[in-house]
Amino acid sequence: MFECQEISAEHKDLIHDVSYDYYGDRIATCSSDQYVKVWDRNKEGKWTLTSSWKAHSASVWKVTWANPEFGQVLATCSFDRTVAVWEETVGDTPGPGKRGQRHWVRRTNLVDSRTSVTDVKFGPKAQGLQLATCSAEGIIRIYEAPDVMNLSQWTLQHEVQCKLPLSCLSWNPSPNRSHPSMIAVGSDEPHTTPGGKVFIYEYSENSRKWNKLETLNITEPVHDVAFSPNLGRVFHILGVATNNVRIINLTPVEDSQLSGLTKLEIETAAQFDDHNSTVWRVCWNVNGAVLCSTGDDGCARMFRILSKTSWKPEGVLKGEGNQVPTAVEAAHGATQHIPQGSPVGSIASQTARYIKLGSISQPSREPWY
Amino acid sequence: MTTFSVAQEGPLNALALNSTNTQVVIGGRNVFKVYQIEEDKFREICNLRTLKHLNLNFSCNDITWSPSDDHYVATAATNGHVCVWNLTKMGRAMQEQDYQDHKRTVNKVKFHATEPFKLISGSQDGTMRYFDIRMKNAVSVFYSNTESVRDVQFCPHNSYVFSAVSENGSVQLWDVRKPDKSQHQFTAHSGPVFACDWHPEATWLATASRDKTIKVWEMTGRPTLEYTIHTIASIGYVKWRPSHKYQLASCALVIDCSINIWDVRRPYIPFASFNEHRDIASGVAWRGDPNIFLSSGRDNVLYQHSFSDAQKPASKANPQGITLNTKGEVVYSKKVNNTITSTNSSSQNSLSKAVGLMRKISTSQPIDAFHLAWSRTYNFNPNNVEEQESSIFIKLAKSYILHGRSVSELCDHNSAVATQFGKNDIAVTWKIVKTMYGEEFVQNSMNNPKQEEGSCSALEIPDEQKSKGAETPAAQFSGGDEETENEDQVDNAFPNYLNVRNGCLPRGDFFFGENELDVELDGAPIFMDYYQYGYRMNPTPSEQIDWTVPNEAFPIRHEILDRSPPPEQFPDHLHTINLREEQSVQVKVDDQLPGMLVNVKQCSKPSWDPSPIVIQTLHHYATLGDIQTVACILLVLGESRKYLAGLSENLQEHWLLGYIELLSKYRLWNISNQVIKLAWLPSVSQLNQMSTTMNTNCGKCMKPLQRVGWLCDRCHTSENALCSICHQVVRGLYVWCQGCSHGGHIGHLKQWLAQKRVCPTGCGHMCEYIDN
């Protein structure tokens, strides 16, 4: 079971993105109300607002954290056609007993796009400080901060033209040196077009260009794509949120060294229609074994890998705070180390927003880190 | 009801519809035309610029069409003239009036909505003039006392009142009868105000400014701000949408070429957006129907737009967000579905609370959920923390031993650890690794032709240990003890090792043993088992050899040769074991004869290599995301990794980096560093040799210490780098305050700062020690 705690984010409009930082200790939220908020846990473990600022002059679509190696850095993208990079600074007033006030400073504003910037993501740490953005005009832009200590200087390294308006972007996080940098983008173009709406691009060291490697044959509007963390797989897994959840294996094929371009073998590992409605988001757990998706049915659903080509639904998180174990999960319960329990229908009441389901760990137990 | 357009010779500055919304007049620097609006196209009726003697009167900033008399059109010319045109006449006679009152460009002209022949103009010269088009001169002049007037609009609720906005950010209300003084004046924006528009029903005035906002003012009494819309660019034009109380259209002056329709109650995202223009739009005119409007653009095009072709940015906006962290916690935020919450009484309160944020909800308004968009955010925390994958990961990471002992020992230990935390499949994998790469086996069949002795000694360990004590096994395993482990550790480790064996050997030993092995030995008194084994083995060495060799060596090999189930199927223990038993029986039957005949030869030159299967196993765990098992097995194998032929260095590096990455996500720095240290690939082992320089300052003169050691270039002494408390040289961990550069032994300073805040040197700095 999960216990559910509602965070009253108090954004004045829709929240479009939430994002944990690298360690999972902080949350950033962004909303159409043009604000970005950063949350930290207080001593009781409750999320409290640390910072809130007007980041853009239009809806903020996405917020994403950089690797902490580069500092406490966020990037946001907005309907106002800009991308901003923010850094948290601590004011220079370290008096006794009180810390300096923290605040977020805009380090740069990237204004190359002529239309809404729909997604922004930091590249894998190994490649330094890179930022990829995609926009409604169908252009992927790759920026780089040549000096990681200077977040105000970014150079536009690449502009890659796609034909369709883009809605989402994901870096392949694989640290394997035989896997070149790879980006997947998706388009939410509403009309069914031949060809597909997810494109895989790969950076070629030889030509110093991003080349389109593949087009995935998904014809429905795509709202989110997410590469699984690749800690040691020889193939990549891409989660796609469209009218359903799709899990796609991309296996690099070895024998094309001559052409300089890797080839991918594409295979749909699983497809889940459980949401029975538009699926908006997909995200991965830390080791890439569980995919979590959210849809218009108001549920977050989890799927677990069993083998390269087999996945199973693992659980459902309802907004109101209970996890409903699926039949499959119940059947496999004995071998799974996943939370178990009968669904508890919790009532979202005004006074008791914090609902405890079962006991939590004893305070005497050692913390995890 | 379709979108269509007509291109012109030059940019369009303005457009105006006639009273019946059937014709449109457009004007620009080089354009001055009247079009009939047909079902799906514009038909040109009249081009006023075909006349001879064109002058600047034909270049207009703004156009207005008389609502009471379809013959009259007035233009604001760039040369400061206000011209009135009679469309029924021809040639020069068309220009009925040419008022030359303004000194500078006229920005705006507007016919009065109800009074025929009445016209107002606003100019860059800071004045407004009221005309009766039947008269040669202006009726009255209004001095705004500002530099320039950008827009003037008659109030639809009071025929004498008009509003004027100017570049200094102010809004003025005038009574046409009182030209001497404005009735109201207030500063509306922090930048030039470019446009204003009266609401057709409410007493609201919308103003648009370069400060990237549109503001809606309640104008009864003292003007109060009702709504503010933040836009991405300066707004040059604003127009309320008919029969939609809360909606208005806006055009930007720069950057944004789209025409946005806003719901003032949701001031963040346009309700609809029309992106046909390739340059900024200069004007909007509703065709009576709230779903159709015309627009003129600087891209030379006149458009008719239909709402059926509108873009709805909000519908494309992603209404949900989700994120997972390393602890398996989930934060999920989703759009609240209003139709559901309104029926759900328990959520009613929160809904109304949210609604409270959106001010002034009209209850009579038909259900229109656009402006009611809001999200709820949930944080799901797994409440059986101890059973979480992440906490098991951490416990395993902390408990696994990766070096310092023999492979067998490490495997046994790690297997026991895995069992302890409920990871039985992983425990079995460790067992198998032990079986294949443990010293016993390697000695037996990989290298050493004298496998009998090896196997005997291995199997005899427990027995010998019972009789002789710890010397023999310790000696035997010293091969793995290359690290600086001292005797204590070895001594401690040994009983540990024994315990491990106790816990797990029966199951593992099954591979060596016979078919009838009892699975239930698990928890039984182990030494008894060993007695049994020993008893069986020891007294008759000759028999033992006969018994051991074929049964030990063969079933293992053939079992795997015969594609024994890879470890992923292990959760089902009993089944697997049964299968094994069957297989081994079968194998035995098959191979008994050759086994008996050529048994030594068979053993000394193994006919198969377990590596592919081990690699396959590692791949399997990697696929499942369990990089911990993979990396730890690789680390434990140590030199035996050489048997894993076909495992590319890139992949090994990938696995190690994957594990390191995961460890650092859990802040398990020590373990991560241990992995780096144990890594056999230079690219990984060098990871902890980068960025190792720490610079500190001299405690006395604050000059950065740049030499090796503590010597300050200026003070020529290293005295100031001694521990501030004990005044000894610090070897090992040195902690210092970045504020005052004083430091010393971490223990000393921790102790000191636990009680005091001031630096121990007495420098007066308030040091702070944050212990994570």
Side-chain angles (χ1 to χ4, degrees), chain A residues 1 3 5 7 13 15-16 22 25 32 41 47 81 177 232-233 281 294-295 304 319 357 368, chain B residues 256 266 268 318 320 325 327 329 334 375 377-379 381 383 385 389 623 650 653-655 664 667:
Chain A
M1 285 301 298
E3 75 185 37
Q5 174 190 351
I7 304 169
D13 203 306
I15 296 171
H16 296 299
Y22 180 81
D25 296 336
S32 258
R41 277 190 200 278
W47 289 105
R81 304 159 185 209
R177 61 177 70 222
R233 294 182 181 125
R281 301 304 294 267
T294 72
R304 180 176 283 273
L357 304 171
W368 300 348
Chain B
D256 188 0
R266 190 176 177 187
Y268 310 111
N318 171 4
Q320 300 187 333
N325 75 355
K327 296 156 199 132
E329 296 164 6
K334 63 173 178 183
S375 293
T377 308
Y378 303 95
N379 181 203
N381 297 327
N383 56 13
V385 169
E389 240 177 304
T623 299
N650 278 346
E653 182 197 346
H654 185 177
W655 288 346
S664 60
R667 301 184 201 256

Side-chain angles (χ1 to χ4, degrees), chain B residues 408-424:
Chain B
S408 313
E409 273 184 295
L410 293 172
C411 290
D412 278 333
H413 173 86
N414 294 343
S415 168
V417 166
T419 313
Q420 187 192 338
F421 297 120
K423 292 284 189 186
N424 292 324

Side-chain angles (χ1 to χ4, degrees), chain B residues 9-22:
Chain B
E9 304 81 60
L12 304 180
N13 288 339
L15 80 171
L17 284 162
N18 65 353
S19 57
T20 54
N21 298 322
T22 52

Side-chain angles (χ1 to χ4, degrees), chain A residues 118 134-140 162 164-168 185-188 199:
Chain A
T118 48
C134 68
S135 63
E137 70 202 319
I139 297 178
I140 306 168
C162 300
L164 295 174
L166 300 175
S167 60
C168 49
V185 289
S187 167
D188 60 353
F199 310 101

